CSV table of all heavy atoms in Angstrom, one decimal:
chain,number,residue,atom,x,y,z
A,40,MET,N,23.0,121.3,-34.6
A,40,MET,CA,23.0,121.2,-33.1
A,40,MET,C,21.8,122.0,-32.6
A,40,MET,O,21.6,123.1,-33.1
A,40,MET,CB,24.3,121.7,-32.6
A,40,MET,CG,25.5,120.8,-32.9
A,40,MET,SD,25.4,119.2,-32.2
A,40,MET,CE,25.3,118.2,-33.7
A,41,ARG,N,21.1,121.5,-31.6
A,41,ARG,CA,20.0,122.2,-30.9
A,41,ARG,C,20.2,122.1,-29.4
A,41,ARG,O,21.1,121.3,-29.0
A,41,ARG,CB,18.7,121.4,-31.3
A,41,ARG,CG,18.4,121.3,-32.7
A,41,ARG,CD,17.8,122.5,-33.4
A,41,ARG,NE,17.6,122.3,-34.8
A,41,ARG,CZ,18.4,122.7,-35.8
A,41,ARG,NH1,19.7,123.2,-35.5
A,41,ARG,NH2,18.2,122.5,-37.0
A,42,ALA,N,19.5,122.9,-28.7
A,42,ALA,CA,19.6,122.8,-27.2
A,42,ALA,C,19.4,121.4,-26.9
A,42,ALA,O,18.5,120.7,-27.4
A,42,ALA,CB,18.6,123.7,-26.6
A,43,ALA,N,20.2,121.0,-25.8
A,43,ALA,CA,20.0,119.7,-25.3
A,43,ALA,C,20.4,118.5,-26.2
A,43,ALA,O,20.0,117.4,-25.9
A,43,ALA,CB,18.7,119.4,-24.6
A,44,THR,N,21.2,118.8,-27.2
A,44,THR,CA,21.8,117.7,-28.0
A,44,THR,C,22.9,117.0,-27.3
A,44,THR,O,23.8,117.7,-26.8
A,44,THR,CB,22.2,118.3,-29.4
A,44,THR,OG1,21.2,118.9,-30.0
A,44,THR,CG2,22.8,117.2,-30.3
A,45,ILE,N,22.9,115.7,-27.4
A,45,ILE,CA,24.1,115.0,-26.8
A,45,ILE,C,24.8,114.3,-28.0
A,45,ILE,O,24.1,113.4,-28.7
A,45,ILE,CB,23.7,114.0,-25.7
A,45,ILE,CG1,23.0,114.7,-24.6
A,45,ILE,CG2,24.9,113.2,-25.2
A,45,ILE,CD1,22.4,113.8,-23.5
A,46,VAL,N,26.1,114.5,-28.1
A,46,VAL,CA,26.9,113.8,-29.1
A,46,VAL,C,27.9,112.9,-28.4
A,46,VAL,O,28.7,113.6,-27.6
A,46,VAL,CB,27.6,114.8,-30.0
A,46,VAL,CG1,28.4,114.0,-31.1
A,46,VAL,CG2,26.6,115.7,-30.7
A,47,CYS,N,28.0,111.7,-28.5
A,47,CYS,CA,29.0,110.8,-27.9
A,47,CYS,C,30.0,110.4,-28.9
A,47,CYS,O,29.7,110.0,-30.0
A,47,CYS,CB,28.3,109.5,-27.3
A,47,CYS,SG,27.3,109.9,-25.9
A,48,LEU,N,31.3,110.7,-28.6
A,48,LEU,CA,32.4,110.5,-29.5
A,48,LEU,C,33.2,109.3,-29.1
A,48,LEU,O,33.9,109.4,-28.0
A,48,LEU,CB,33.2,111.7,-29.6
A,48,LEU,CG,32.5,113.0,-29.9
A,48,LEU,CD1,33.2,114.3,-29.4
A,48,LEU,CD2,32.2,113.2,-31.4
A,49,PHE,N,33.1,108.2,-29.8
A,49,PHE,CA,33.8,107.0,-29.5
A,49,PHE,C,35.1,106.9,-30.3
A,49,PHE,O,35.1,107.4,-31.5
A,49,PHE,CB,33.0,105.7,-29.8
A,49,PHE,CG,31.8,105.6,-28.9
A,49,PHE,CD1,30.6,106.3,-29.2
A,49,PHE,CD2,31.8,104.8,-27.8
A,49,PHE,CE1,29.4,106.2,-28.4
A,49,PHE,CE2,30.6,104.7,-27.0
A,49,PHE,CZ,29.5,105.4,-27.3
A,50,GLY,N,36.1,106.2,-29.8
A,50,GLY,CA,37.3,105.9,-30.6
A,50,GLY,C,38.5,106.0,-29.7
A,50,GLY,O,38.6,106.6,-28.7
A,51,ASP,N,39.6,105.3,-30.2
A,51,ASP,CA,40.8,105.2,-29.5
A,51,ASP,C,41.5,106.6,-29.3
A,51,ASP,O,41.2,107.5,-29.9
A,51,ASP,CB,41.8,104.3,-30.3
A,51,ASP,CG,41.4,102.9,-30.3
A,51,ASP,OD1,40.5,102.5,-29.4
A,51,ASP,OD2,41.8,102.1,-31.2
A,52,LEU,N,42.5,106.5,-28.4
A,52,LEU,CA,43.4,107.7,-28.2
A,52,LEU,C,43.9,108.2,-29.6
A,52,LEU,O,44.4,107.4,-30.3
A,52,LEU,CB,44.6,107.4,-27.3
A,52,LEU,CG,44.3,107.0,-25.8
A,52,LEU,CD1,45.5,106.3,-25.3
A,52,LEU,CD2,43.9,108.3,-25.1
A,53,GLY,N,43.8,109.6,-29.8
A,53,GLY,CA,44.4,110.1,-31.1
A,53,GLY,C,43.6,109.7,-32.3
A,53,GLY,O,44.1,110.0,-33.5
A,54,SER,N,42.3,109.3,-32.1
A,54,SER,CA,41.6,108.9,-33.3
A,54,SER,C,40.9,110.2,-34.0
A,54,SER,O,40.4,110.1,-35.1
A,54,SER,CB,40.6,107.8,-33.0
A,54,SER,OG,39.7,108.3,-32.1
A,55,GLY,N,40.8,111.2,-33.2
A,55,GLY,CA,40.3,112.5,-33.9
A,55,GLY,C,39.2,113.1,-33.2
A,55,GLY,O,38.5,114.1,-33.7
A,56,LYS,N,38.8,112.6,-32.0
A,56,LYS,CA,37.6,113.2,-31.3
A,56,LYS,C,37.7,114.7,-31.0
A,56,LYS,O,36.7,115.4,-31.3
A,56,LYS,CB,37.3,112.4,-30.0
A,56,LYS,CG,37.2,110.8,-30.2
A,56,LYS,CD,37.0,110.1,-28.9
A,56,LYS,CE,38.1,110.1,-28.0
A,56,LYS,NZ,39.3,109.3,-28.5
A,57,THR,N,38.8,115.1,-30.4
A,57,THR,CA,39.0,116.5,-30.1
A,57,THR,C,39.1,117.3,-31.3
A,57,THR,O,38.6,118.5,-31.4
A,57,THR,CB,40.2,116.7,-29.1
A,57,THR,OG1,40.0,115.9,-28.0
A,57,THR,CG2,40.4,118.2,-28.8
A,58,THR,N,39.7,116.8,-32.3
A,58,THR,CA,39.8,117.5,-33.6
A,58,THR,C,38.4,117.8,-34.2
A,58,THR,O,38.1,118.9,-34.6
A,58,THR,CB,40.6,116.6,-34.6
A,58,THR,OG1,41.9,116.4,-34.0
A,58,THR,CG2,40.8,117.3,-36.0
A,59,PHE,N,37.5,116.8,-34.1
A,59,PHE,CA,36.1,117.0,-34.6
A,59,PHE,C,35.4,118.0,-33.7
A,59,PHE,O,34.7,118.9,-34.2
A,59,PHE,CB,35.4,115.6,-34.5
A,59,PHE,CG,34.0,115.6,-34.9
A,59,PHE,CD1,33.7,115.4,-36.2
A,59,PHE,CD2,33.0,115.9,-34.0
A,59,PHE,CE1,32.3,115.5,-36.6
A,59,PHE,CE2,31.6,116.0,-34.4
A,59,PHE,CZ,31.3,115.7,-35.8
A,60,VAL,N,35.7,118.0,-32.4
A,60,VAL,CA,35.0,119.0,-31.5
A,60,VAL,C,35.5,120.4,-31.8
A,60,VAL,O,34.7,121.3,-31.9
A,60,VAL,CB,35.4,118.7,-29.9
A,60,VAL,CG1,34.9,119.8,-29.1
A,60,VAL,CG2,34.7,117.4,-29.6
A,61,LYS,N,36.8,120.5,-32.2
A,61,LYS,CA,37.3,121.9,-32.5
A,61,LYS,C,36.6,122.5,-33.7
A,61,LYS,O,36.2,123.6,-33.8
A,61,LYS,CB,38.8,121.8,-32.9
A,61,LYS,CG,39.7,121.7,-31.7
A,61,LYS,CD,41.2,121.7,-32.2
A,61,LYS,CE,42.1,121.4,-31.1
A,61,LYS,NZ,42.5,122.5,-30.2
A,62,GLY,N,36.3,121.5,-34.7
A,62,GLY,CA,35.5,122.0,-35.9
A,62,GLY,C,34.2,122.3,-35.6
A,62,GLY,O,33.6,123.3,-36.0
A,63,LEU,N,33.5,121.5,-34.8
A,63,LEU,CA,32.1,121.7,-34.5
A,63,LEU,C,32.0,123.0,-33.6
A,63,LEU,O,31.1,123.9,-34.0
A,63,LEU,CB,31.5,120.6,-33.7
A,63,LEU,CG,30.0,120.3,-33.7
A,63,LEU,CD1,29.6,118.9,-33.4
A,63,LEU,CD2,29.4,121.3,-32.7
A,64,ALA,N,32.9,123.3,-32.7
A,64,ALA,CA,32.9,124.4,-32.0
A,64,ALA,C,33.0,125.7,-32.9
A,64,ALA,O,32.3,126.7,-32.7
A,64,ALA,CB,34.0,124.4,-30.9
A,65,LYS,N,34.0,125.5,-33.9
A,65,LYS,CA,34.2,126.7,-34.8
A,65,LYS,C,32.9,127.0,-35.5
A,65,LYS,O,32.5,128.2,-35.7
A,65,LYS,CB,35.2,126.2,-35.8
A,65,LYS,CG,36.0,127.3,-36.4
A,65,LYS,CD,37.2,126.7,-37.2
A,65,LYS,CE,37.9,127.8,-38.0
A,65,LYS,NZ,38.9,127.2,-38.9
A,66,GLY,N,32.1,126.0,-35.9
A,66,GLY,CA,30.8,126.3,-36.5
A,66,GLY,C,29.8,126.9,-35.6
A,66,GLY,O,28.8,127.5,-36.1
A,67,LEU,N,30.1,126.9,-34.4
A,67,LEU,CA,29.2,127.5,-33.4
A,67,LEU,C,29.8,128.8,-32.9
A,67,LEU,O,29.5,129.4,-31.8
A,67,LEU,CB,28.9,126.6,-32.1
A,67,LEU,CG,28.0,125.4,-32.4
A,67,LEU,CD1,27.9,124.5,-31.2
A,67,LEU,CD2,26.6,125.8,-32.9
A,68,LYS,N,30.8,129.3,-33.7
A,68,LYS,CA,31.5,130.6,-33.4
A,68,LYS,C,32.3,130.6,-32.1
A,68,LYS,O,32.5,131.6,-31.5
A,68,LYS,CB,30.5,131.8,-33.3
A,68,LYS,CG,29.6,131.8,-34.6
A,68,LYS,CD,30.3,132.5,-35.8
A,68,LYS,CE,29.4,132.6,-37.0
A,68,LYS,NZ,30.0,132.1,-38.1
A,69,ILE,N,32.9,129.4,-31.8
A,69,ILE,CA,33.8,129.3,-30.7
A,69,ILE,C,35.2,129.1,-31.4
A,69,ILE,O,35.4,128.2,-32.1
A,69,ILE,CB,33.5,128.1,-29.8
A,69,ILE,CG1,32.1,128.4,-29.1
A,69,ILE,CG2,34.6,127.9,-28.8
A,69,ILE,CD1,31.4,127.1,-28.7
A,70,PRO,N,36.2,130.0,-31.1
A,70,PRO,CA,37.6,129.8,-31.7
A,70,PRO,C,38.1,128.5,-31.4
A,70,PRO,O,38.1,128.1,-30.2
A,70,PRO,CB,38.4,131.0,-31.1
A,70,PRO,CG,37.4,131.9,-30.5
A,70,PRO,CD,36.2,131.1,-30.2
A,71,ALA,N,38.7,127.8,-32.4
A,71,ALA,CA,39.3,126.5,-32.2
A,71,ALA,C,40.3,126.4,-31.1
A,71,ALA,O,40.5,125.5,-30.4
A,71,ALA,CB,39.8,125.9,-33.5
A,72,ASN,N,41.1,127.5,-31.0
A,72,ASN,CA,42.2,127.5,-30.0
A,72,ASN,C,41.6,127.6,-28.6
A,72,ASN,O,42.4,127.4,-27.6
A,72,ASN,CB,43.2,128.7,-30.3
A,72,ASN,CG,42.6,130.0,-30.1
A,72,ASN,OD1,41.5,130.2,-29.7
A,72,ASN,ND2,43.3,131.0,-30.7
A,73,LYS,N,40.3,127.8,-28.4
A,73,LYS,CA,39.8,127.7,-26.9
A,73,LYS,C,39.5,126.3,-26.6
A,73,LYS,O,39.2,126.0,-25.4
A,73,LYS,CB,38.5,128.5,-27.0
A,73,LYS,CG,38.7,130.0,-27.0
A,73,LYS,CD,37.7,130.8,-26.2
A,73,LYS,CE,38.0,132.2,-26.0
A,73,LYS,NZ,36.9,133.1,-25.7
A,74,VAL,N,39.5,125.4,-27.6
A,74,VAL,CA,39.0,124.1,-27.4
A,74,VAL,C,40.2,123.1,-27.0
A,74,VAL,O,41.1,122.9,-27.8
A,74,VAL,CB,38.3,123.5,-28.6
A,74,VAL,CG1,37.9,122.0,-28.4
A,74,VAL,CG2,37.0,124.3,-28.9
A,75,HIS,N,40.1,122.6,-25.7
A,75,HIS,CA,41.2,121.7,-25.3
A,75,HIS,C,40.5,120.5,-24.7
A,75,HIS,O,39.4,120.7,-23.9
A,75,HIS,CB,42.1,122.3,-24.3
A,75,HIS,CG,42.8,123.5,-24.9
A,75,HIS,ND1,43.8,123.3,-25.8
A,75,HIS,CD2,42.6,124.8,-24.8
A,75,HIS,CE1,44.3,124.5,-26.2
A,75,HIS,NE2,43.6,125.4,-25.6
A,76,SER,N,41.0,119.3,-24.7
A,76,SER,CA,40.4,118.2,-24.1
A,76,SER,C,40.4,118.4,-22.6
A,76,SER,O,41.5,118.7,-22.0
A,76,SER,CB,41.1,116.9,-24.5
A,76,SER,OG,40.3,116.0,-25.0
A,77,PRO,N,39.3,118.4,-21.9
A,77,PRO,CA,39.3,118.6,-20.5
A,77,PRO,C,39.7,117.3,-19.7
A,77,PRO,O,38.9,116.8,-18.9
A,77,PRO,CB,37.8,119.0,-20.2
A,77,PRO,CG,37.1,118.4,-21.3
A,77,PRO,CD,38.0,118.2,-22.4
A,78,SER,N,40.9,116.8,-20.0
A,78,SER,CA,41.2,115.5,-19.5
A,78,SER,C,41.2,115.4,-17.9
A,78,SER,O,40.8,114.4,-17.4
A,78,SER,CB,42.6,115.1,-19.9
A,78,SER,OG,42.8,115.4,-21.3
A,79,PHE,N,41.7,116.5,-17.3
A,79,PHE,CA,41.8,116.5,-15.8
A,79,PHE,C,40.5,117.0,-15.1
A,79,PHE,O,40.1,116.6,-14.1
A,79,PHE,CB,43.1,117.1,-15.4
A,79,PHE,CG,44.3,116.2,-15.7
A,79,PHE,CD1,45.0,116.6,-16.8
A,79,PHE,CD2,44.6,115.1,-14.9
A,79,PHE,CE1,46.1,115.8,-17.1
A,79,PHE,CE2,45.7,114.4,-15.2
A,79,PHE,CZ,46.4,114.6,-16.3
A,80,THR,N,40.0,118.0,-15.9
A,80,THR,CA,38.8,118.7,-15.2
A,80,THR,C,37.5,118.0,-15.7
A,80,THR,O,36.4,118.3,-15.1
A,80,THR,CB,38.7,120.1,-15.6
A,80,THR,OG1,38.8,120.2,-17.1
A,80,THR,CG2,39.8,121.0,-15.1
A,81,LEU,N,37.6,117.1,-16.6
A,81,LEU,CA,36.4,116.3,-17.1
A,81,LEU,C,35.4,117.1,-17.9
A,81,LEU,O,34.8,116.5,-18.9
A,81,LEU,CB,35.6,115.6,-16.0
A,81,LEU,CG,36.4,114.6,-15.1
A,81,LEU,CD1,35.5,114.1,-14.0
A,81,LEU,CD2,37.0,113.4,-15.9
A,82,MET,N,35.3,118.4,-17.7
A,82,MET,CA,34.4,119.2,-18.5
A,82,MET,C,34.8,120.6,-18.7
A,82,MET,O,35.2,121.3,-17.7
A,82,MET,CB,33.0,119.2,-17.9
A,82,MET,CG,31.9,119.9,-18.7
A,82,MET,SD,30.2,119.7,-18.1
A,82,MET,CE,30.1,120.9,-16.9
A,83,ASN,N,34.8,121.1,-20.0
A,83,ASN,CA,35.0,122.5,-20.3
A,83,ASN,C,33.7,123.0,-20.8
A,83,ASN,O,32.9,122.3,-21.5
A,83,ASN,CB,36.1,122.7,-21.4
A,83,ASN,CG,37.5,122.5,-20.9
A,83,ASN,OD1,37.7,122.5,-19.7
A,83,ASN,ND2,38.3,122.1,-21.9
A,84,VAL,N,33.4,124.3,-20.6
A,84,VAL,CA,32.2,125.0,-21.1
A,84,VAL,C,32.7,126.1,-22.0
A,84,VAL,O,33.5,126.9,-21.6
A,84,VAL,CB,31.3,125.5,-20.0
A,84,VAL,CG1,30.0,126.0,-20.6
A,84,VAL,CG2,30.9,124.3,-19.0
A,85,TYR,N,32.2,126.2,-23.2
A,85,TYR,CA,32.5,127.2,-24.1
A,85,TYR,C,31.2,127.9,-24.5
A,85,TYR,O,30.2,127.3,-24.7
A,85,TYR,CB,33.1,126.7,-25.4
A,85,TYR,CG,34.2,125.7,-25.2
A,85,TYR,CD1,33.9,124.3,-25.8
A,85,TYR,CD2,35.4,125.9,-24.6
A,85,TYR,CE1,34.9,123.3,-25.6
A,85,TYR,CE2,36.4,124.8,-24.5
A,85,TYR,CZ,36.1,123.6,-25.0
A,85,TYR,OH,37.0,122.6,-24.8
A,86,GLN,N,31.3,129.2,-24.6
A,86,GLN,CA,30.1,130.0,-25.0
A,86,GLN,C,30.1,130.4,-26.5
A,86,GLN,O,31.0,131.1,-26.8
A,86,GLN,CB,29.9,131.2,-24.1
A,86,GLN,CG,28.5,131.9,-24.2
A,86,GLN,CD,27.4,130.9,-23.9
A,86,GLN,OE1,27.3,130.4,-22.9
A,86,GLN,NE2,26.5,130.8,-24.9
A,87,GLY,N,29.2,129.8,-27.3
A,87,GLY,CA,29.1,130.2,-28.6
A,87,GLY,C,27.7,130.5,-29.0
A,87,GLY,O,27.0,131.0,-28.1
Side-chain angles (χ1 to χ4, degrees):
M40 295 295 115
R41 304 282 177 265
T44 300
I45 301 177
V46 183
C47 290
L48 306 158
F49 294 83
D51 293 341
L52 291 165
S54 59
K56 302 179 292 296
T57 302
T58 304
F59 181 89
V60 171
K61 282 180 194 276
L63 203 158
K65 207 167 168 188
L67 292 173
K68 306 279 181 235
I69 296 157
N72 63 13
K73 289 211 168 158
V74 176
H75 300 285
S76 238
S78 314
F79 290 97
T80 52
L81 302 175
M82 182 168 84
N83 286 338
V84 183
Y85 318 115
Q86 191 57 57

